[in-house]
């Protein structure tokens, strides 16, 4: 969602803030701005639209400032609604990610006291409230602490004021990280904002009040000093750059072999048919396990659908998948025999965190599957399992989906071996297929020219239908999601057998169908559905590992033989297809309209 960057130190703040805003573009935004602080006041530059259009000074000597990219919630994307927001005097500036739920009551109260507002945002109440506390003689950290005690909702805040030697930052339910640099210190909503300056970070926790100054960082919780560990980010700044590709998304599609190697590295023991996931679920608990509930959103939800089928097969345990925003722990389930698995790339997805908290309140054991060390979900879950995909900048998930599925597959083997429901030889075969993923995905990437040809032929379709059975169904859903996210075309994924129960009415010669025809997808049955759409004139593109189906397909993408992992390999073709269709249409691929990378509001 919104992006936050702040810097205080000995270097000029303006170029650091401007670069930080560019680094945060991937989160999604519709306006941007910066506030530069000097001894006499605050200089604000903000406007709606692209960061490249933001009018900034050519230079500035100021060494303290905050910046923001806004994704609209309260108020349209206008210059007035852009962040940073200031108080009546112009001496307090605030950037904010999240939603302040009780802002209307606070705003009415402030107006009665004579405060005037210039925006429609919920954020603007904060600088006015800080203004009042400073007027009563409080320090800036104490003023912020007093104000946030009255706020309801989720937020990450960065606050500055002239006469104070740094930035005060706090969070509740929205991500915030501190960067420790040699020439100054940083705050940000995500590490890529400042990664070219430092890889030394600490993660602010809910309720922390952090005072970030040129000399260092101090943190208080409930008025008492606390220590937050300084960690080293393992990836380099170059990992968050395009590296010669036209878009982050296509770069990250091509990074999937490497991401998969990272995801499985050191975890496979094919000789004994086992895995080492560095999680400590008690053996007695696993033996008594009756149900696994997976909660997730979007692409992570599709990875969960894939995994649930494997959990049931490998671990002989009932597995369900729920969209996190719909999740409730109900229905006579025994929390002591239930494992709730929260799948979230960022570790900050608001809906998934809420579902995790509901599960925790019920007494269920929780496991986070995420890409982000130090994220909120890892602090709140009982156990954490990292997918190790490296940074993903493109809004449309690609390599993180592959790494999620691979990691969840290993979790399925882990559960099956410890529940004595999966034999060592069967496990070894599965792990052999997982080990083959990077090479198989590379074979698909080597076929990209063919995908481009097919995309050129069908890019003008009126709509696109994706079909599959078994493990092919979540891949069909994910393929359709990728296409609609970045091309803005209507695309739908279906369980193949459902076509004849309604959707077939939409099929025409101008609606291409993409079918998943691999191991794990009951391809012979899906071919019957291919015949159904083909008889209505729909051209069919097949992602197939079958020996012979060319007569039924208008175009075929060959999927290498890899057992149960074939549908995941097929998904890479669908990613490439979506990318090239969108690129042919000139879409904003890395920053699709209305979308954000990390959805931190419910």
């Amino acid at each position: 969602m919104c992006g936050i960057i702040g810097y205080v130190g000995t270097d000029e703040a303006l170029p650091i803030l401007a670069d930080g805003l560019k680094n945060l573009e991937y989160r999604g935004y519709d306006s941007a701005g910066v506030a530069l602080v000097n001894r006499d006041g605050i200089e604000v530059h903000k406007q709606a639209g692209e960061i490249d259009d933001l009018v900034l000074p050519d230079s500035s000597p100021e060494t303290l400032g905050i910046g923001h990219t806004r994704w609209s919630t309260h108020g349209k994307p206008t210059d007035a609604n852009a962040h940073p927001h200031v108080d009546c005097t112009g001496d307090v500036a605030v950037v904010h990610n999240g939603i302040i739920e009780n802002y209307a009551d606070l705003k009415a109260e402030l107006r009665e006291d004579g405060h005037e507002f210039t925006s429609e945002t919920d954020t603007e109440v904060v600088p006015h409230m800080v203004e009042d506390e400073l007027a009563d003689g409080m320090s800036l950290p104490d003023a912020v602490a007093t104000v946030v005690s009255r706020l309801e909702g989720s937020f990450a805040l960065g606050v500055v004021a002239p006469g104070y030697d740094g930035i005060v930052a706090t969070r509740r339910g929205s991500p915030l990280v501190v960067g420790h640099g040699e020439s100054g210190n940083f705050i940000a909503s995500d590490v890529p904002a400042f990664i070219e300056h430092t890889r030394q970070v600490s993660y602010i926790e809910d309720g922390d009040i952090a005072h970030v100054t040129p000399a260092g960082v101090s943190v208080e919780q409930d008025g008492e000093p606390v220590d937050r560990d300084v960690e080293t980010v393992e990836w380099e700044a170059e990992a968050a750059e395009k590296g010669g590709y036209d878009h982050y998304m296509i770069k990250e599609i091509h990074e999937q072999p490497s991401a998969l190697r990272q995801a499985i590295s050191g975890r496979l023991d094919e000789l004994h048919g086992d895995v080492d996931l560095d999680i400590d679920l008690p053996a007695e608990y696993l033996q008594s396990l009756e149900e696994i509930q997976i909660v997730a959103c979007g692409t992570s939800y599709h990875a969960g659908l894939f995994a649930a089928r494997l959990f049931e097969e490998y671990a002989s345990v009932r597995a369900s998948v729920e969209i996190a925003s719909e999740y409730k722990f109900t229905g006579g389930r025994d929390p002591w025999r239930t494992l709730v698995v929260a799948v979230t790339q960022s570790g900050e997805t608001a809906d998934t965190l809420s579902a995790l908290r509901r599960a925790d309140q019920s007494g269920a054991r929780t496991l986070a599957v995420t890409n982000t060390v130090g994220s909120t979900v890892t602090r709140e879950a009982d156990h954490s399992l990292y997918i190790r995909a490296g940074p993903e900048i493109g809004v449309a998930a690609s390599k993180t989906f592959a790494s999620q599925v691979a990691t969840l597959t290993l979790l399925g083997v882990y559960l099956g071996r410890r529940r004595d429901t999966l034999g060592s030889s069967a496990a070894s075969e599965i792990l052999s297929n997982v080990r083959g993923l990077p090479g198989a995905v590379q074979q698909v990437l080597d076929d990209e020219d063919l995908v481009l040809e097919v995309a050129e032929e069908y890019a003008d379709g009126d709509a696109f239908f994706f079909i599959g059975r078994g493990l092919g169904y979540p891949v069909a859903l994910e393929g359709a999601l990728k296409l609609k996210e970045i091309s803005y075309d209507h695309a739908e994924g279906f369980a193949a057998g459902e076509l004849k129960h309604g959707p077939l009415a939409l099929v025409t010669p101008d609606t291409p169908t993409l079918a998943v025809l691999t191991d794990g997808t009951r391809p012979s049955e899906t071919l019957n559905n291919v015949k159904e759409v083909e008889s209505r004139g729909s051209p069919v593109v097949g992602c197939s590992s079958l020996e012979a189906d060319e007569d039924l397909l208008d175009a075929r993408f060959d999927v290498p033989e890899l057992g149960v992992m074939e549908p995941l390999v097929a998904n890479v073709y669908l990613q490439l297809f979506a990318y090239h269709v969108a690129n042919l249409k000139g879409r904003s691929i890395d920053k699709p309209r209305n979308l954000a990378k990390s959805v931190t509001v419910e």
Side-chain angles (χ1 to χ4, degrees):
M1 303 293 275
C2 305
I4 290 173
I5 176 66
Y7 170 76
V8 57
T10 57
D11 293 340
E12 290 186 7
L14 181 61
I16 293 173
L17 297 177
D19 288 345
L21 292 179
K22 289 293 291 183
N23 292 346
L24 290 170
E25 282 189 301
Y26 72 96
R27 293 175 68 89
Y29 72 101
D30 47 44
S31 61
V34 300
L36 300 168
V37 185
N38 58 47
R39 187 168 297 177
D40 300 320
I42 295 176
E43 180 183 342
V44 175
H45 305 272
K46 62 178 185 174
Q47 66 190 64
E50 299 286 319
I51 289 172
D52 289 340
D53 298 327
L54 178 62
V55 178
L56 297 172
D58 292 334
S59 63
S60 171
E62 313 310 339
T63 59
L64 168 60
I66 52 177
H68 191 267
T69 56
R70 177 177 184 252
W71 189 85
S72 297
T73 57
H74 294 71
K76 296 180 179 179
T78 64
D79 293 353
N81 289 334
H83 294 216
H85 287 287
V86 298
D87 66 325
C88 293
T89 66
D91 284 340
V92 178
V94 172
V95 290
H96 166 223
N97 182 12
I99 291 178
I100 298 170
E101 295 174 356
N102 61 334
Y103 84 99
D105 292 339
L106 295 170
K107 191 171 186 178
E109 182 182 313
L110 289 161
R111 276 180 166 153
E112 286 184 6
D113 292 338
H115 289 270
E116 296 182 359
F117 290 81
T118 61
S119 79
E120 305 167 273
T121 67
D122 56 334
T123 303
E124 198 183 352
V125 299
V126 177
H128 290 281
M129 294 172 72
V130 172
E131 174 192 356
D132 284 350
E133 302 303 332
L134 293 178
D136 288 341
M138 281 193 179
S139 68
L140 186 59
D142 287 345
V144 172
T146 300
V147 167
V148 299
S149 69
R150 298 189 60 201
L151 302 181
E152 297 174 6
S154 65
F155 50 79
L157 296 169
V159 186
V160 293
Y164 298 92
D165 60 349
I167 306 166
V168 176
T170 186
R171 60 159 285 177
R172 183 195 300 157
S174 287
L176 198 63
V177 60
V178 169
H180 305 265
E182 294 182 0
S183 62
N185 297 304
F186 305 80
I187 67 165
S189 48
D190 206 353
V191 172
F194 55 69
I195 188 63
E196 65 263 40
H197 300 286
T198 181
R199 293 192 294 129
Q200 301 300 114
V201 305
S202 53
Y203 295 94
I204 301 302
E205 298 189 8
D206 278 1
D208 284 354
I209 304 293
H211 192 194
V212 183
T213 71
V217 179
S218 60
V219 182
E220 290 189 355
Q221 174 87 238
D222 296 326
E224 298 295 327
V226 293
D227 292 326
R228 297 292 175 233
D229 292 340
V230 177
E231 304 176 17
T232 301
V233 175
E234 296 299 329
W235 43 273
E236 302 287 348
E238 290 77 9
E241 297 175 354
K242 291 181 184 175
Y245 289 91
D246 290 338
H247 300 94
Y248 283 113
M249 183 181 180
I250 191 63
K251 170 180 178 276
E252 288 157 3
I253 289 173
H254 278 266
E255 286 177 344
Q256 285 178 108
S258 175
L260 286 163
R261 290 188 188 97
Q262 291 170 191
I264 65 178
S265 177
R267 289 174 164 174
L268 309 187
D269 181 359
E270 290 176 58
L271 180 62
H272 300 98
D274 205 356
V275 295
D276 179 5
L277 296 181
D278 197 26
I279 53 177
D280 186 22
L281 290 166
E284 183 179 355
Y285 168 75
L286 292 178
Q287 287 291 341
S288 67
L289 197 61
E290 293 180 349
E291 183 176 8
I292 298 173
Q293 299 171 6
I294 302 171
V295 293
C297 306
T299 287
S300 297
Y301 172 72
H302 299 154
L305 288 172
F306 196 110
R309 293 175 179 269
L310 300 184
F311 290 171
E312 291 196 338
E313 179 180 350
Y314 299 164
S316 190
V317 62
R318 183 170 64 252
S320 61
V321 192
E322 293 196 44
I323 295 171
S325 58
E326 295 291 319
Y327 175 77
K328 290 180 67 177
F329 193 95
T330 58
R333 295 154 169 162
D334 183 350
W336 298 103
R337 289 179 170 80
T338 302
L339 176 65
V340 177
V341 180
V343 186
T344 160
Q345 181 275 137
S346 67
E348 305 290 350
T349 309
D351 291 329
T352 305
L353 288 171
S354 293
L356 182 80
R357 289 163 187 154
R358 288 192 288 273
D360 183 66
Q361 289 166 4
S362 75
R365 190 181 290 266
T366 58
L367 168 67
V369 178
T370 185
N371 194 40
T372 311
V373 177
S375 57
T376 301
V377 76
T378 64
R379 294 195 294 272
E380 297 196 10
D382 296 318
H383 309 273
S384 296
L385 177 58
Y386 295 102
I387 68 170
R388 306 192 305 202
E392 184 174 73
I393 306 301
V395 168
S398 54
K399 67 177 180 176
T400 54
F401 176 74
S403 295
Q404 283 174 337
V405 171
T407 304
L408 288 165
T409 301
L410 299 185
L411 178 60
V413 172
Y414 171 92
L415 295 169
R417 295 294 288 139
R418 280 144 191 83
R419 285 171 55 82
D420 300 320
T421 56
L422 183 67
S424 60
S425 60
S428 293
E429 183 178 353
I430 296 163
L431 297 179
S432 176
N433 290 332
V434 172
R435 187 179 293 280
L437 272 170
V441 169
Q442 187 59 57
Q443 290 183 55
V444 171
L445 295 172
D446 292 342
D447 248 358
E448 186 172 2
D449 287 345
L450 172 60
V451 182
L452 175 58
E453 290 178 15
V454 175
E456 288 172 336
E457 184 171 356
Y458 297 116
D460 293 330
D462 291 341
F464 297 82
F465 300 121
F466 294 73
I467 61 173
R469 292 174 185 261
L471 295 174
Y473 173 47
V475 169
L477 293 174
E478 175 63 11
L481 178 62
K482 286 287 115 15
L483 187 62
K484 70 179 75 172
E485 280 181 309
I486 62 171
S487 75
Y488 315 150
D489 284 321
H490 181 74
E492 293 295 335
F494 298 102
E498 281 296 292
L499 279 177
K500 57 186 173 293
H501 296 288
L504 205 56
L506 301 174
V507 171
T508 74
D510 296 318
T511 57
T513 299
L514 291 92
V516 183
L517 302 162
T518 67
D519 193 12
T521 71
R522 292 151 56 193
S524 59
E525 296 174 51
T526 302
L527 282 174
N528 292 330
N529 307 115
V530 167
K531 294 173 185 176
E532 289 173 350
V533 297
E534 199 167 49
S535 68
R536 273 84 177 169
S538 172
V540 180
V541 179
C543 299
S544 179
S545 59
L546 302 182
E547 291 186 4
D549 57 14
E550 290 88 345
D551 292 342
L552 293 173
L553 303 176
D554 294 276
R556 173 183 163 124
F557 299 143
D558 288 322
V559 177
E561 293 185 10
L562 204 64
V564 75
M565 290 290 98
E566 288 177 16
L568 182 58
V569 179
N571 182 68
V572 181
Y573 278 120
L574 303 183
Q575 292 173 344
L576 290 169
F577 180 81
Y579 172 81
H580 284 295
V581 169
N583 201 31
L584 289 165
K585 296 187 174 191
R587 304 302 193 209
S588 179
I589 290 174
D590 287 332
K591 296 174 286 181
R593 67 187 182 198
N594 304 329
L595 300 181
K597 182 65 176 172
S598 178
V599 183
T600 55
V601 296
E602 294 185 71

